[in-house]
Amino acid sequence: MSAAPYAVDPRLLRGFLAVAEELHFTRAAARLYVAQQALSRDVRRLERELGVELFVRSTRQVVLTGDGERLVPHARRVLEAQEELVAAFRQARPLLVDLNSPGLATGARVLRRARELAPELELMARYESGLTYAAAEILAGRLDVSFGRFAGLEPAVRVGLAQQPVRYAPMTVILPEDHRLAALDAVPLAELAGERVYAGAGNPRTPEWTDLAARLFEGRGIELAPPAPLAVGEEEFRRIMAKTRSPVLAVVDFPPMPGTVARPLVDPVPLSPVSLVWRKGLRHPGLDALRRAAAELAEAGVWLSHPADGWIPPTDALIMMTFI
């Protein structure tokens, strides 16, 4: 056995213990809310750092080696000591959670479930309208967590953030009650050809949403509605949209507006990818509760199931298959 390193990342030990207790990489990864590939990389890295083989792997089973069995009690003691240290010095500050806008259900449901899982913690809701603006606040330390389209952020911004896929949210269109398409139960995208549809153009907080709409409209004869006056608050947004009378691109849980109807979009079904996003390196029990809540709800609601007739940009699809 080669000389052990001076320090071993506790995350590697945590991953090792999960596999040692489950003897199954897929179950261990689900328990830790990480991708199986990431967990396998961490175990291999720990083996390299310790200079030993910890598991014998085959297509049928995973078995601890003698060195693996020897490491188990040491790893447990290290992680228990770390938890005691963190508990002793952890600041009980609130976790600031951006829900984008009042009335949007996905983030609100995750937050509500997280509060049920960890009632002793203070998880404070904020409303920053879009992920682009929220991401800047997260990186500046003025916000902790947000929800939105991670692929819509600039690569230089994404480098400092981590994300967990939560949902493919079907898109809808909000129409004036007397619009020619309002009588339909669902609106085929082809029926929007020739329309100017509002998707936040000109709003500096939500360019990731406008970009998603532009990709969806491309080649379909649908125009992006020009920028409208920036409305702050639900009532002002309703007033401006009633004045312009533009159809509005939205998601399935968009709050209703007087004088309008919401219709699902079909042929294909456009999907808005929603991730839980936070600053890399953030350690907070509230974040752990949010990640558990998001995973629970995604599984129960089949939120991450991609329908056969669903539409999503390829870059978004790739990112939504990845836990960072």
Side-chain angles (χ1 to χ4, degrees), residues 157-169:
V157 174
R158 294 203 303 261
V159 166
L161 300 171
Q163 65 102 18
Q164 176 176 323
V166 176
R167 186 180 190 184
Y168 291 111

Side-chain angles (χ1 to χ4, degrees), residues 37-151:
Q37 291 176 335
L39 178 58
S40 296
R41 285 196 302 268
D42 281 352
V43 170
R44 287 196 297 270
R45 177 182 161 190
L46 181 61
E47 288 178 323
R48 287 196 305 270
E49 291 189 1
L50 296 179
V52 298
E53 186 178 22
L54 299 171
F55 298 100
V56 176
R57 306 160 177 84
S58 72
T59 56
R60 292 177 175 270
Q61 61 181 349
V62 176
V63 179
L64 277 165
T65 65
D67 284 317
E69 291 177 353
R70 194 154 63 92
L71 178 59
V72 167
H74 294 289
R76 284 184 176 142
R77 286 198 296 270
V78 169
L79 293 176
E80 287 170 2
Q82 185 204 29
E83 289 173 2
E84 291 176 4
L85 174 64
V86 171
F89 290 93
R90 177 182 290 146
Q91 295 181 355
R93 70 169 182 84
L95 189 77
L96 304 181
V97 183
D98 169 44
L99 302 180
N100 301 144
S101 297
L104 292 181
T106 299
R109 288 180 63 183
V110 172
L111 177 59
R112 184 162 57 248
R113 178 56 182 150
R115 286 170 171 165
E116 293 171 352
L117 291 171
E120 75 282 4
L121 302 177
E122 187 60 74
L123 307 179
M124 298 291 296
R126 294 289 186 271
Y127 302 95
E128 303 294 354
S129 295
L131 183 58
T132 295
Y133 181 84
E137 294 293 284
I138 290 172
L139 292 174
R142 293 186 290 267
L143 188 68
D144 294 310
V145 178
S146 187
F147 294 85
R149 181 186 169 224
F150 192 69

Side-chain angles (χ1 to χ4, degrees), residues 183-211:
L184 299 178
D185 293 330
V187 175
L189 275 170
E191 291 294 330
L192 287 176
E195 294 280 350
R196 283 187 170 185
V197 180
Y198 181 74
N203 186 344
R205 292 175 175 245
T206 60
E208 75 283 350
W209 175 250
T210 306
D211 174 73

Side-chain angles (χ1 to χ4, degrees), residues 149 171 197 199 201 207-224 249 311 313:
R149 181 186 169 224
M171 295 190 204
V197 180
E208 75 283 350
W209 175 250
T210 306
D211 174 73
L212 183 64
R215 292 168 185 260
L216 175 63
F217 296 168
E218 185 177 6
R220 291 188 166 94
I222 308 170
E223 294 184 49
L224 277 172
L249 186 69
W311 173 93

